[in-house]
C-alpha cells in the first residue's frame, strides 16, 4: 500500500474514533444540562458521570493525534489550514479549553455548579459546530491563494447553505450517537429509568440525523459537484449506512440487544464517514492539496508509520485495560465498586 | 502592530502559562508514586494519605496542563504555519510520539484515580502509577527534542532551492542540543514539583500544624529535592559547555562576553550601558568562563565580536541567566541546610527560619524555570530555527492575531483564577489531621 494511503487511512480512522468518543461526551454534556433544566437530572446524571469521569482526558487525545498526525504526514496542510483557520480554530480551541478544564474542576473539585453544568452543555454543541467547518472548508471555495498569500473567506463560509447543513448534521449526530450509547450503558447498569429516558432521546434524534444527512448530500451536490458525483458512484456504501441506521433504530425501539444497536450506530457512521472520506480523495484541500502533492518525504513518512505501529502495540492493551476496568465491568457500572 | 509581534506575544503567553502546569504534571507523579510506595512498605497510612492528597490536587493541575497543552499544540500550526510546514517534514516524529506518550499517561491516570480500593494487593495499584510517570516524562523528553532541534537543527540538508532533502528523522531528534536540554528540563521539572510540595508542607507547619504527617512530607520532599538540585545544576553546567560548542552566540550574550579570547573571565551580575556595551558594577572572576565553557582555565571562548551584529541575541538575557543560576544555588543551599540540621542531633530542621526559606524556595523555583525558558528562547533570536529560519519569516500572514491574543489572555486569566479557587476549596476545611482521623476511625 502506498505511503499516502496508509497515512490518510490512519488519520481518518483516528478522526472517526474521535467523532464517536467525542460525540458521546458532547451529547452527554447537553443531556446533563437539559435534564437539569427539565428537573430530571436525578434520572440520568449518575450514569453519565459514571462513564465520563475516567475517560474525558482520553477523548481529547484523539483530536490532538489527528492534528499532529496530519501535520506530520501532510505538512502542507499546516501551511494552508494553519493560515486560514486562525479564527475558527482559535475559537474552537478556546471552547475546548473551557470545556475540558471546567469539567475537571467540577468533577475533581467536588462541587456541583450550575454554571459549570451550563458551560459543559453549551460547549458540547458549539465545539462540534466549529470543528465541522474544517470539513466544509476542505471542500474548497473558502480558502483562496492570491499569489503567495493565502486568504480565508469567512463571510462566504458563513453564508454558505452547505456549511450550515454540515453544522446541523454535526449537532444532531452527536445527540443521536450519545443517546444511543448511554441507553446501552444505562441498561447495562440496570438503571431502568435512565435507560428509558435516554432511549426516548435516542429515538427523538434519529429522524433529524437522517434528514440532516440528506440535506448534506443536497448541499454538496451544489457546492462541489465533482465530490458529489464520486460519492454517487459508491452509493452502495451510503445504502449500507442507512441499513445500519434502520437496524439500530429498530433494536432501540424494541429495547433488544442494545449493545448490538450501538454497534449498528457505529457502523452507520463508519460507512458514511469512510464513504465521504474516500470520495473526497485525492483532495485534502480542494483544489490546492492532494494526497500526493501534500505528502511528506518518504523517510519521515515511514518513520511515522513505524512509530504508529509501535505506539499501537503499547496503547491497545492499555485501552483494553481501561475499558475492562470501567466500560465493560458490570460491577463498576452498577456502582458496586 | 503586525502579525509577527502578536504571534510572538500569544505564543510566549501560552507557553509561559503552560509550562507551570506542565512541570507540575511531569514532576508530581514521581512524588505521589514514592509516597504510595513508602506507605505500602512501611504500612504507614500517613504516606498513603500523602499520595492521595497530592493526587487530588494534582488532577486539577493536570487538567489545566492538558488543555493549555492542546492550545499550544494547535496554536503552533495557526500562528507559525511556515515553521510547522518545515517541522512537519523534518521533526514531526517526536511530536507524533509525544501524543502517544501523553495518550498512555492519560489512560493510566484515569485508571490510577479510580482504582484506589479495587485491588487486594496494594502494589497493583501502585504499579499503575509507573506508566503515568513514564508517559509524562516521555512527553517532556519528546517535546524537548523538538525545542532542541530549533536550537541546533540536524538530520536534514537544504538544496539550492531551499527544499529540505536527505532527511534523517532520528538524527533530527537526537540533535546536539538534545542530551543536555532533555536532562536539564526533566531534572528541573522534578525539582520544581518537589519544592512545590515541600513548600506547602513547610507552610502548614509554620501555620502551627503539629501533626507528624507534615514533617514526614517535608522530609520526603527535602531529601529528593536536595538530590534533584544537584542534578539540575550539573545538567546546567553540561548545557553551558554544550552552548560554548554549538551555540556560542547564546552563551556570549548570556555572559556579556564581547571579545573572543583565551582564559575568559566570568561576568556576574552588573549592568550594561545600552549604547557603549560597557559593563558596570559587575563581579569578574578571572578565567572562570573558560573553565565553565571548556573545562580549561585557558580555553578559548567565542565572543560576540565573532558574530555579525544583526545576529546577536538580545543582551538582556544576561539578567535572566544570572538570576536563574542564583536561584538554582539557593535551592541547593536551603535543601542542604535542612538536611544538615536534620542529621545533626542538636539541629532543628523545623526552625521557623528554615521553614520560611523552604516556603519561598517554591515560588523562586517557578520563577527560575520561567527565566530559564525565556533565556533559552530569547537566546536563540533572531532565529526560530538556528541558521535556517528567522522568527519574522515563520509567522502567519493572517490578520486578527491581535484579537486572538486578547481572547486567549482572558482565557488563561480565567483558568488561573478558577483553578486556584478550586484548589483552595478542595483542601479548605479538610486538613490532613481530620482526614487521617476519619481514615483511622474507619479502620478500627
Amino acid at each position: 500500500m502506498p505511503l499516502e494511503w496508509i497515512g490518510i487511512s490512519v488519520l481518518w480512522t483516528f478522526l472517526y474514533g474521535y467523532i464517536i468518543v467525542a460525540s458521546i461526551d458532547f451529547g452527554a454534556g447537553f443531556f446533563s444540562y437539559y435534564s437539569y433544566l427539565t428537573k430530571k437530572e436525578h434520572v440520568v446524571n449518575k450514569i453519565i458521570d459514571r462513564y465520563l469521569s475516567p475517560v474525558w482526558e482520553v477523548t481529547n487525545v484523539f483530536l490532538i493525534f489527528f492534528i499532529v498526525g496530519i501535520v506530520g504526514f501532510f505538512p502542507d496542510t499546516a501551511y494552508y489550514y494553519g493560515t486560514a483557520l486562525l479564527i475558527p480554530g482559535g475559537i474552537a480551541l478556546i471552547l475546548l479549553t473551557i470545556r475540558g478544564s471546567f469539567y475537571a474542576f467540577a468533577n475533581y473539585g467536588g462541587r456541583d455548579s450550575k454554571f459549570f453544568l451550563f458551560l459543559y452543555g453549551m460547549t458540547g454543541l458549539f465545539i462540534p459546530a466549529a470543528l465541522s467547518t474544517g470539513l466544509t472548508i476542505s471542500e474548497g471555495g473558502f480558502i483562496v491563494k492570491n499569489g503567495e498569500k493565502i486568504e480565508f473567506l469567512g463571510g462566504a463560509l458563513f453564508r454558505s447553505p452547505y456549511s450550515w447543513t454540515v453544522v446541523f448534521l454535526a449537532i444532531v449526530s452527536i445527540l443521536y450517537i450519545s443517546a444511543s450509547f448511554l441507553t446501552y450503558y444505562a441498561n447495562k447498569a440496570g438503571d431502568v429509568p435512565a435507560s428509558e429516558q435516554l432511549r426516548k432521546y435516542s429515538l427523538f434524534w434519529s429522524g433529524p440525523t437522517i434528514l440532516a444527512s440528506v440535506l448534506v448530500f443536497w448541499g454538496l451536490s451544489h457546492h462541489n459537484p465533482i465530490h458529489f458525483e464520486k460519492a454517487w458512484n459508491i452509493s452502495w456504501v451510503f445504502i449500507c449506512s442507512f441499513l445500519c441506521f434502520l437496524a439500530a433504530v429498530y433494536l432501540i425501539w424494541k429495547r433488544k440487544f442494545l449493545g448490538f444497536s450501538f454497534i449498528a450506530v457505529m457502523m452507520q457512521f463508519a460507512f458514511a464517514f469512510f464513504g465521504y472520506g474516500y470520495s473526497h480523495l485525492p483532495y485534502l484541500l480542494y483544489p490546492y492539496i492532494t494526497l500526493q502533492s501534500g505528502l511528506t518525504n518518504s523517510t519521515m513518512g515511514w518513520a511515522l508509520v513505524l512509530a504508529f505501529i509501535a505506539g499501537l502495540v503499547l496503547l491497545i492493551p492499555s485501552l483494553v485495560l481501561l475499558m475492562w476496568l470501567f466500560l465493560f465491568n458490570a460491577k463498576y457500572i452498577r456502582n458496586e465498586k | 502592530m503586525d502579525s509577527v509581534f502578536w504571534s510572538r506575544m500569544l505564543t510566549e503567553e501560552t507557553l509561559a502559562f503552560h509550562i507551570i502546569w506542565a512541570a507540575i504534571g511531569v514532576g508530581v507523579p514521581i512524588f505521589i508514586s514514592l509516597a504510595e510506595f513508602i506507605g505500602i512498605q512501611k504500612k504507614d497510612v500517613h504516606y498513603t494519605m500523602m499520595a492521595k492528597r497530592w493526587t487530588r490536587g494534582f488532577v486539577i493541575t493536570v487538567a489545566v496542563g492538558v488543555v493549555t497543552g492542546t492550545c499550544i499544540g494547535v496554536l503552533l500550526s495557526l500562528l507559525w504555519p511556515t515553521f510547522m510546514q518545515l517541522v512537519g517534514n523534518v521533526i514531526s516524529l517526536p511530536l507524533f510520539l509525544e501524543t502517544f506518550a501523553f495518550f498512555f499517561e492519560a489512560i493510566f491516570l484515569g485508571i490510577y484515580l479510580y482504582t484506589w480500593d479495587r485491588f487486594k494487593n496494594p502494589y497493583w495499584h501502585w504499579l499503575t502509577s509507573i506508566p503515568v510517570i513514564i508517559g509524562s516524562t516521555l512527553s517532556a523528553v519528546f517535546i524537548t527534542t523538538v525545542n532542541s532541534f530549533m536550537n541546533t537543527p540536524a538530520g536534514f540538508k537544504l538544496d539550492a532551492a531551499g527544499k529540505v532533502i536527505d532527511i534523517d528523522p532520528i538524527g533530527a531528534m537526537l540533535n546536539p542540543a538534545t542530551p543536555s536540554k532533555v536532562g536539564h528540563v526533566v531534572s528541573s521539572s522534578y525539582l520544581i514539583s518537589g519544592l512545590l510540595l515541600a513548600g506547602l508542607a513547610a507552610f502548614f507547619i509554620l501555620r502551627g500544624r503539629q501533626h507528624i504527617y507534615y514533617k514526614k512530607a517535608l522530609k520526603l520532599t527535602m531529601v529528593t529535592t536536595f538530590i534533584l538540585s544537584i542534578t539540575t545544576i550539573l545538567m546546567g553546567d553540561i548545557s553551558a559547555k554544550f552552548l560554548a560548542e554549538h551555540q556560542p552566540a547564546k552563551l556570549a550574550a548570556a555572559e556579556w562576553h564581547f571579545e573572543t579570547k583565551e582564559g575568559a573571565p566570568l561576568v556576574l551580575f552588573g549592568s550594561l550601558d545600552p549604547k557603549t556595551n560597557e559593563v558596570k558594577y559587575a563581579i569578574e572572576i578571572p578565567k572562570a568562563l573558560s573553565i565553565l565553557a571548556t573545562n580549561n582555565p585557558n580555553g578559548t571562548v567565542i565572543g560576540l565580536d565573532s558574530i555579525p551584529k544583526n545576529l546577536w541575541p538580545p543582551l538582556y538575557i544576561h539578567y535572566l541567566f544570572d538570576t536563574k543560576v542564583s536561584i538554582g544555588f539557593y535551592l541547593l543551599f536551603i535543601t542542604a541546610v535542612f538536611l544538615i540540621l536534620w542529621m545533626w542531633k542538636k539541629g532543628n530542621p523545623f526552625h521557623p527560619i528554615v521553614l520560611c526559606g523552604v516556603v519561598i524556595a517554591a515560588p523562586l523555583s517557578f520563577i527560575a524555570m520561567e527565566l530559564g525558558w525565556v533565556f533559552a528562547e530569547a537566546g536563540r533570536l533572531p532565529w526560530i530555527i538556528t541558521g535556517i529560519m528567522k522568527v519574522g519569516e515563520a509567522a502567519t500572514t493572517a490578520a486578527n492575531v491581535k484579537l486572538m491574543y486578547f481572547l486567549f489572555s482572558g482565557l488563561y486569566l480565567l483558568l488561573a483564577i478558577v483553578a486556584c479557587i478550586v484548589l483552595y476549596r478542595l483542601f479548605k476545611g479538610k486538613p490532613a489531621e481530620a482526614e487521617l482521623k476519619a481514615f483511622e476511625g474507619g479502620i478500627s
Side-chain angles (χ1 to χ4, degrees):
Chain A
M1 197 151 135
L3 182 60
E4 63 267 30
W5 280 93
I6 299 179
I8 197 68
S9 309
V10 166
L11 293 174
W12 205 244
T13 308
F14 260 79
L15 194 57
Y16 169 72
Y18 177 71
I19 285 180
I20 298 294
V21 291
S23 291
I24 296 175
D25 177 65
F26 291 146
F30 176 78
F31 291 132
S32 280
Y33 187 62
Y34 179 74
S35 36
Y36 160 71
L37 287 182
T38 53
K39 309 251 180 297
K40 281 182 184 150
E41 70 262 42
H42 56 283
V43 182
V44 296
N45 283 14
K46 218 170 82 191
I47 263 314
I48 290 175
D49 280 351
R50 199 85 186 136
Y51 161 75
L52 282 181
S53 305
V55 300
W56 76 271
E57 230 187 334
V58 175
T59 310
N60 246 343
V61 188
F62 277 91
L63 181 67
I64 296 290
F65 188 95
F66 175 77
I67 291 172
V68 171
I70 202 163
V71 171
F73 276 108
F74 305 99
D76 286 355
T77 54
Y79 180 63
Y80 281 87
Y81 283 105
T83 310
L85 293 181
L86 180 68
I87 298 283
I91 287 171
L93 205 51
I94 289 174
L95 292 174
L96 271 172
T97 305
I98 289 176
R99 180 183 180 80
S101 52
F102 279 68
Y103 177 71
F105 292 159
N107 196 36
Y108 303 127
R111 273 173 65 90
D112 275 337
S113 153
K114 300 304 164 225
F115 182 63
F116 285 179
L117 202 59
F118 168 76
L119 281 179
Y120 197 62
M122 288 303 109
T123 51
L125 297 184
F126 283 107
I127 294 168
L131 291 178
S132 70
T133 58
L135 286 178
T136 309
I137 288 167
S138 75
E139 296 291 346
F142 306 110
I143 292 180
V144 286
K145 197 175 179 186
N146 287 329
E148 277 304 294
K149 202 169 151 60
I150 288 163
E151 266 180 71
F152 173 57
L153 309 176
L157 181 69
F158 197 75
R159 287 187 298 272
S160 155
Y162 174 62
S163 168
W164 287 106
T165 59
V166 174
V167 167
F168 176 52
L169 176 63
I171 291 174
V172 294
S173 298
I174 60 157
L175 295 174
Y176 168 63
I177 295 174
S178 184
S180 308
F181 175 79
L182 292 170
T183 308
Y184 155 70
Y185 198 73
N187 181 266
K188 186 136 189 198
D191 187 340
V192 178
S195 184
E196 280 301 303
Q197 188 62 41
L198 289 157
R199 173 179 166 271
K200 275 182 207 147
Y201 293 150
S202 168
L203 292 174
F204 180 83
W205 290 108
S206 62
T209 307
I210 284 302
L211 175 68
S213 311
V214 173
L215 282 176
V216 164
F217 270 107
W218 169 79
L220 187 65
S221 71
H222 286 82
H223 185 79
N224 187 338
I226 302 171
H227 184 174
F228 178 76
E229 201 186 310
K230 281 194 208 145
W232 190 253
N233 291 340
I234 50 163
S235 51
W236 63 271
V237 175
F238 299 98
I239 292 169
C240 286
S241 169
F242 185 67
L243 293 176
C244 291
F245 166 79
L246 292 180
V249 173
Y250 177 76
L251 290 175
I252 295 173
W253 179 260
K254 288 281 175 194
R255 300 185 179 86
K256 274 182 188 158
F257 305 114
L258 290 171
F260 280 107
S261 85
F262 184 66
I263 290 174
V265 170
M266 282 175 65
M267 293 303 293
Q268 175 199 341
F269 280 87
F271 276 117
F273 191 66
F274 282 89
Y276 167 84
Y278 183 79
S279 53
H280 196 297
L281 294 176
Y283 293 105
L284 297 177
L285 171 62
Y286 186 85
Y288 297 106
I289 314 175
T290 66
L291 266 190
Q292 286 77 19
S293 79
L295 187 67
T296 186
N297 61 88
S298 67
T299 329
M300 180 58 82
W302 287 111
L304 292 178
V305 172
L306 282 181
F308 176 74
I309 294 169
L312 281 191
V313 170
L314 194 70
L315 282 185
I316 289 178
S318 322
L319 272 174
V320 168
L321 181 65
L322 183 76
M323 294 208 235
W324 175 69
L325 282 170
F326 300 109
L327 227 46
F328 301 111
N329 187 311
K331 276 187 179 168
Y332 173 81
I333 304 175
R334 285 200 301 269
N335 203 2
E336 285 166 19
K337 273 219 166 183
Chain B
M1 280 300 205
D2 57 341
S3 297
V4 180
F5 175 81
W6 291 109
S7 294
R8 284 184 60 184
M9 290 291 284
L10 180 48
T11 312
E12 281 161 12
E13 175 186 70
T14 305
L15 275 169
F17 187 62
H18 172 63
I19 57 175
I20 296 172
W21 312 93
I24 297 174
V26 172
V28 169
I30 301 270
F31 292 89
I32 293 173
S33 179
L34 206 59
E36 189 184 3
F37 185 76
I38 298 174
I40 303 173
Q41 279 265 305
K42 291 191 173 175
K43 297 199 170 28
D44 185 337
V45 290
H46 292 161
Y47 287 99
T48 313
M49 184 56 69
M50 222 176 273
K52 283 195 176 178
R53 284 172 66 91
W54 285 345
T55 307
R56 215 180 301 151
F58 173 72
V59 289
I60 302 292
T61 61
V62 159
V64 183
V66 170
V67 294
T68 53
T70 310
C71 284
I72 188 65
V74 180
L75 280 178
L76 278 178
S77 289
L78 296 178
L79 297 175
W80 310 97
T82 318
F83 166 70
M84 283 307 280
Q85 199 180 16
L86 194 142
V87 163
N89 272 308
V90 189
I91 189 83
S92 53
L93 181 63
L95 281 175
F96 197 63
L97 291 172
E98 199 266 352
T99 13
F100 275 113
F102 173 66
F103 209 154
F104 191 59
E105 179 201 342
I107 291 171
F108 279 92
L109 186 61
I111 294 176
Y112 185 82
L113 286 178
Y114 290 92
T115 57
W116 272 97
D117 302 315
R118 271 177 83 173
F119 302 105
K120 280 209 178 87
N121 182 343
Y123 282 107
W124 283 109
H125 180 259
W126 172 74
L127 269 182
T128 63
S129 71
I130 302 295
V132 177
I133 294 176
I134 294 174
S136 60
T137 298
L138 279 182
S139 296
V141 170
F142 289 131
I143 280 305
T144 310
T145 65
V146 180
N147 185 269
S148 305
F149 172 85
M150 293 161 70
N151 281 286
T152 54
F156 71 104
K157 287 190 187 117
L158 286 181
D159 67 6
K163 213 170 128 46
V164 285
I165 49 166
D166 286 346
I167 289 162
D168 169 12
I170 304 288
M173 219 170 116
L174 303 178
N175 60 77
T178 294
S180 55
K181 252 192 194 299
V182 165
H184 198 52
V185 165
V186 171
S187 165
S188 53
S189 301
Y190 292 170
L191 172 62
I192 289 164
S193 306
L195 285 167
L196 174 69
L197 300 173
L200 285 170
F203 176 77
F204 286 121
I205 300 173
L206 268 179
R207 288 270 302 258
R209 302 267 180 92
Q210 298 289 338
H211 202 280
I212 183 87
Y213 169 89
Y214 299 100
K215 295 188 176 171
K216 283 180 178 171
L218 192 57
K219 283 177 181 172
L220 171 71
T221 47
M222 278 286 133
V223 174
T224 33
T225 49
F226 171 70
I227 301 166
L228 288 167
S229 43
I230 295 175
T231 55
T232 305
I233 289 172
L234 281 179
M235 291 296 174
D237 180 55
I238 293 172
S239 304
K241 292 181 185 20
F242 154 80
L243 285 181
E245 198 179 333
H246 292 277
Q247 279 188 289
K250 194 191 263 187
L251 184 71
E255 303 288 9
W256 285 345
H257 177 55
F258 289 97
E259 279 171 61
T260 303
K261 62 179 168 196
E262 293 173 5
L266 183 68
V267 178
L268 284 182
F269 310 109
S271 72
L272 190 75
D273 188 312
K275 280 181 191 146
T276 59
N277 281 342
E278 196 183 334
V279 180
K280 283 181 197 158
Y281 317 116
I283 308 165
E284 276 204 15
I285 307 174
K287 302 197 189 241
L289 183 58
S290 284
I291 297 175
L292 277 180
T294 63
N295 279 338
N296 173 0
N298 293 315
T300 309
V301 182
I302 296 173
L304 286 169
D305 58 353
S306 309
I307 292 149
K309 200 154 187 187
N310 62 339
L311 299 181
W312 284 15
L315 294 176
Y316 66 77
I317 62 175
H318 175 78
Y319 301 113
L320 313 178
F321 184 74
D322 278 14
T323 314
K324 82 153 183 160
V325 173
S326 310
I327 293 175
F329 278 98
Y330 171 75
L331 302 179
L332 179 62
F333 167 77
I334 191 72
T335 50
V337 166
F338 182 90
L339 292 191
I340 291 166
L341 289 175
W342 179 14
M343 297 295 159
W344 182 35
K345 286 205 172 113
K346 285 182 196 162
N348 173 20
F350 303 107
H351 190 280
I353 294 177
V354 182
L355 291 177
C356 279
V358 176
V359 170
I360 57 166
L364 280 180
S365 68
F366 278 87
I367 291 170
M369 171 183 70
E370 293 283 352
L371 293 176
W373 167 68
V374 176
F375 161 69
E377 300 302 302
R380 197 182 56 240
L381 292 174
W383 303 103
I384 189 166
I385 304 175
T386 308
I388 307 286
M389 188 186 282
K390 288 190 181 162
V391 172
E393 304 159 357
T396 181
T397 47
N400 299 322
V401 188
K402 187 176 172 182
L403 170 71
M404 281 293 136
Y405 171 77
F406 287 109
L407 284 179
F408 275 91
S409 303
L411 176 71
Y412 299 144
L413 188 68
L414 178 76
L415 276 186
I417 293 171
V418 179
C420 290
I421 294 174
V422 169
L423 280 170
Y424 176 74
R425 285 196 180 145
L426 198 56
F427 291 101
K428 190 186 131 197
K430 279 187 214 155
E433 296 88 327
E435 277 193 75
L436 281 166
K437 215 171 184 181
F439 188 64
E440 281 159 350
I443 286 174
S444 53

